[in-house]
Amino acid sequence: EPLGVVHRDVSPDNLMLTFDGSVQVLDFGIALMRGRQAPVTDYGTIKGKPPYLSPEQIKSEALDRRADIFSASAVLWELLTGDTLFKGDSIYSVGLAVLEHEIPPPSSLVPSVPVELDEVVLHGLARNPDERFQTAMALAEALDAVAVRCGAESLSAFATRELTEAKDAHRRWLAEIRGGSETLPAGRPTGMMTAVGHPPKEPEVSEQSTSVELTRAGRGPWLTFAVVFALVGAFVGFVMFSAPS
């Protein structure tokens, strides 16, 4: 039965690609759910990370699942361009950017991005919720259609090609831990994401968000297609927990 979930914090920190090529949506700590009391939010505060908030969250309006679609589309824009969509030197300036700043098509910054993806991303980033994709499934189907037309590889094939070595190394490390021959390494700061094939960078704390900047991979063709279409799997699963509008 649909649970009427609104995540409220769909952001890079909360999307995880697993070794087998599936995508997990993490951290439902501030999620809303139909029929259950919402987490208490102090007057004048906003839940979520400012660069990924929907306009209705910025304006403290009533929320439904379409807020998450806007946030996911902001993540998608950044995956395609390697840049931050909504920038500012304060929470206020970031919020103003979410509400008013022009959103350029990803292909205007990265010409290798298919124009068809521009259409999907900008549709998801419509500031009026009625003009966006109305369900996560609709967004997923639009992305899937572009993937088919572009001949993109499946996410499982991408994971097998790019992550097998890291997966095997991780399994060997776990075996050593279980055998008592290895000690646990120091953990990374919360929110840090390490790109495949690149060493992690030091996190940069920003006034506009409690999250840290991502360690980004290069803009090779596999990033443009494989990582983008990871969101298809994430939202096909996530939509199962969303209620009809």
Side-chain angles (χ1 to χ4, degrees):
E1 179 183 356
L3 301 178
V5 173
V6 183
H7 188 282
R8 294 203 293 175
D9 195 16
V10 175
S11 60
D13 292 349
N14 292 334
L15 296 171
M16 180 179 71
L17 174 65
T18 66
F19 285 128
D20 64 2
S22 62
V23 177
Q24 305 288 333
V25 181
L26 309 179
D27 193 356
F28 284 73
I30 63 171
L32 303 178
M33 184 181 297
R34 187 183 67 248
R36 298 187 63 180
Q37 184 176 358
V40 176
T41 301
D42 294 333
Y43 179 78
T45 63
I46 298 174
K47 296 287 189 179
K49 301 177 183 68
Y52 304 99
L53 296 177
S54 65
E56 52 267 40
Q57 286 174 280
I58 296 289
K59 294 183 288 186
S60 297
E61 297 176 346
L63 301 181
D64 58 29
R65 60 188 178 186
R66 296 173 297 179
D68 290 337
I69 291 171
F70 184 94
S71 301
S73 298
V75 175
L76 181 57
W77 190 98
E78 294 185 354
L79 286 171
L80 290 167
T81 65
D83 198 3
T84 302
L85 177 54
F86 300 117
K87 304 175 184 179
D89 55 8
S90 67
I91 293 177
Y92 173 80
S93 60
V94 173
L96 187 64
V98 172
L99 294 176
E100 298 182 357
H101 285 196
E102 180 182 357
I103 301 174
S107 66
S108 67
L109 301 177
V110 182
S112 60
V113 173
V115 175
E116 294 166 301
L117 276 178
D118 286 345
E119 297 174 1
V120 175
V121 174
L122 296 180
H123 190 184
L125 287 170
R127 289 186 165 99
N128 182 343
D130 293 334
E131 296 176 0
R132 275 178 227 150
F133 292 104
Q134 297 299 290
T135 66
M137 182 64 77
L139 171 58
E141 289 174 347
L143 287 171
D144 195 38
V146 175
V148 171
R149 289 194 292 271
C150 293
E153 68 180 335
S154 68
L155 191 56
S156 60
F158 161 77
T160 298
R161 176 167 54 81
E162 295 289 340
L163 304 181
T164 296
E165 183 177 346
K167 175 182 175 181
D168 292 342
H170 185 67
R171 286 180 170 174
R172 290 193 298 271
W173 175 77
L174 286 176
E176 292 173 352
I177 293 295
R178 295 190 183 102
S181 61
E182 186 74 29
T183 57
L184 289 170
R188 294 176 300 177
T190 300
M192 192 67 173
M193 180 187 293
T194 304
V196 177
H198 292 253
K201 296 178 181 177
E202 291 298 321
E204 301 176 1
V205 180
S206 169
E207 294 181 2
Q208 65 188 350
S209 174
T210 57
S211 64
V212 298
E213 293 296 321
L214 302 181
T215 301
R216 298 188 185 277
R219 298 179 184 174
W222 67 266
L223 179 66
T224 299
F225 292 102
V227 180
V228 166
F229 297 119
L231 284 174
V232 175
F235 277 84
V236 166
F238 183 64
V239 72
M240 296 175 64
F241 298 95
S242 300
S245 300

